[in-house]
Amino acid sequence: MSFMSLQEFDALVGRMQLAFEYALNLGQPIGAAKVLFQMNEQLPDDLQLSLDDIDDENAVKSFISEYKPKIKSAIVEYRQRLMNY
């Protein structure tokens, strides 16, 4: 991952959060889970979560409920780092 400014990161994550919410609202949890994977990939290596692969559609909702708050927390931590640069 290349270094980006706080503004660039906020814009990117903002678009991803909209895509995540849009997918959920359309009843597409697999699409929402894919966005979580993409959000995780935008974080530096030391903040990235080791995400489990989703084996079946039944596991998607539990995947989202488990990892959404963890990724949100990692995003907040990375934002704080960017603010200190």
Side-chain angles (χ1 to χ4, degrees):
M1 187 191 116
S2 61
F3 179 78
M4 65 177 76
S5 71
L6 176 61
Q7 293 79 12
E8 292 168 324
F9 181 74
D10 282 347
L12 178 64
V13 169
R15 288 190 304 272
M16 289 179 157
Q17 288 175 332
L18 286 174
F20 174 81
E21 295 298 330
Y22 187 72
L24 280 183
N25 289 336
L26 289 177
Q28 299 175 346
I30 292 175
K34 287 179 182 179
V35 174
L36 286 181
F37 274 100
Q38 293 169 350
M39 290 173 134
N40 189 53
E41 290 172 357
Q42 296 306 312
L43 296 167
D45 291 343
D46 66 315
L47 288 177
Q48 283 188 13
L49 302 173
S50 177
L51 300 179
D52 299 329
D53 285 335
I54 304 169
D55 295 336
D56 64 73
E57 290 189 37
N58 297 328
V60 174
K61 289 182 181 178
S62 64
F63 173 89
I64 290 172
S65 64
E66 178 180 351
Y67 288 110
K68 180 185 174 190
K70 292 177 181 179
I71 290 174
K72 188 174 185 175
S73 176
I75 287 170
V76 168
E77 186 173 336
Y78 186 52
R79 284 190 81 255
Q80 290 172 342
R81 283 187 196 176
L82 289 174
M83 283 189 274
N84 292 327
Y85 282 122

